[in-house]
Amino acid sequence: RKEVEQDPGPFNVPEGATVAFNCTYSNSASQSFFWYRQDCRKEPKLLMSVYSSGNEDGRFTAQLNRASQYISLLIRDSKLSDSATYLCVVLRYGNKLVFGAGTILRVKS
Amino acid sequence: GAGVSQSPSNKVTEKGKDVELRCDPISGHTALYWYRQSLGQGLEFLIYFQGNSAPDKSGLPSDRFSAERTGGSVSTLTIQRTQQEDSAVYLCASSFAGGDGYTFGSGTRLTVV
């Protein structure tokens, strides 16, 4: 079993749709949590950190459930430009970053 | 600099040759990672540097791979006697404090022919 698991997708959604991605992690000693976005043939870029209280940045909302070891990302009012691979990332104790394999999102007009 | 800088951006080498990949992290960032990503695959951890601590080398795939970080800043990843399976994008990321997330460089695309 992988330490960070994500549904690979692809998620094909129309513009304006709301889409949610989930991620589970197995190491309970994980310290910090992030969502990164990676465009085709580009480097990953930090989208947002994820906090237990939940956090929102515009159309993006991230949630963390430590008890269930579960992280989510909600995107509202999807734009064509949101098409990318979304990477769930966990910072393990000792500062080791562990990446999920990513979830592909395709937003279509 | 403003971001993480990696060089070269592309490298084509013959099988059996040695290559050096360079990473200039963001100034003041104490943590530095090397990852590699094969086409269509996820990120594979290679090595991690944190300040003056001994690096975590647990991800290096073989003893042909080594990395160093001089003066707590610039890092060099060296691959000796390259093989075709070493072909990938090699990504470097740095951070001031891990909890704030990491910034990636644009990577070095290595092709071994």
Side-chain angles (χ1 to χ4, degrees):
Chain A
R1 184 188 171 195
K2 293 181 182 176
E3 186 168 343
V4 179
E5 299 223 46
Q6 296 182 248
D7 180 345
F11 285 64
N12 296 301
V13 303
E15 275 188 287
T18 295
V19 61
F21 306 138
N22 302 320
C23 167
T24 58
Y25 61 96
S26 60
N27 191 325
S28 59
S30 301
Q31 297 177 283
S32 301
F33 309 87
F34 310 95
W35 283 101
Y36 275 74
R37 170 194 170 128
Q38 187 172 27
D39 292 283
C40 189
R41 300 175 76 86
K42 297 284 190 182
E43 73 275 18
K45 294 191 176 175
L46 179 64
L47 180 64
M48 57 198 303
S49 300
V50 188
Y51 305 114
S52 296
S53 54
N55 48 303
E56 189 173 309
D57 182 2
R59 297 181 294 108
F60 299 83
T61 301
Q63 290 276 354
L64 165 65
N65 184 322
R66 284 191 182 268
S68 302
Q69 295 181 195
Y70 171 96
I71 305 159
S72 66
L73 177 68
L74 183 77
I75 305 176
R76 290 181 298 278
D77 189 23
S78 300
K79 312 290 185 192
L80 292 174
S81 56
D82 293 335
S83 298
T85 298
Y86 289 83
L87 302 168
C88 176
V89 185
V90 171
L91 185 69
R92 199 201 287 170
Y93 179 77
N95 277 332
K96 183 172 178 179
L97 276 180
V98 181
F99 283 77
T103 298
I104 297 170
L105 172 65
R106 297 185 186 135
V107 182
K108 307 203 171 183
S109 58
Chain B
V4 178
S5 177
Q6 291 189 246
S7 61
S9 54
N10 280 285
K11 176 73 176 177
V12 180
T13 190
E14 291 182 353
K15 178 180 172 182
K17 301 279 191 184
D18 297 352
V19 294
E20 277 192 0
L21 313 180
R22 178 186 168 107
C23 173
D24 278 281
I26 292 172
S27 179
H29 279 192
T30 57
L32 186 149
Y33 281 90
W34 283 97
Y35 285 84
R36 73 176 176 182
Q37 188 172 33
S38 301
L39 189 63
Q41 302 297 310
L43 277 80
E44 177 187 1
F45 166 74
L46 296 177
I47 189 168
Y48 166 65
F49 295 91
Q50 173 61 59
N52 295 321
S53 302
D56 176 354
K57 303 179 181 180
S58 60
L60 294 178
S62 77
D63 58 9
R64 296 187 296 105
F65 288 72
S66 62
E68 61 178 23
R69 189 176 183 194
T70 52
S73 180
V74 172
S75 178
T76 303
L77 177 69
T78 301
I79 309 173
Q80 295 178 308
R81 305 181 302 281
T82 51
Q83 304 294 312
Q84 286 185 328
E85 61 262 27
D86 299 335
S87 297
V89 176
Y90 288 80
L91 291 159
C92 174
S94 73
S95 175
F96 175 68
D100 297 335
Y102 285 73
T103 301
F104 280 82
S106 54
T108 294
R109 185 173 301 278
L110 175 67
T111 304
V112 182
V113 298

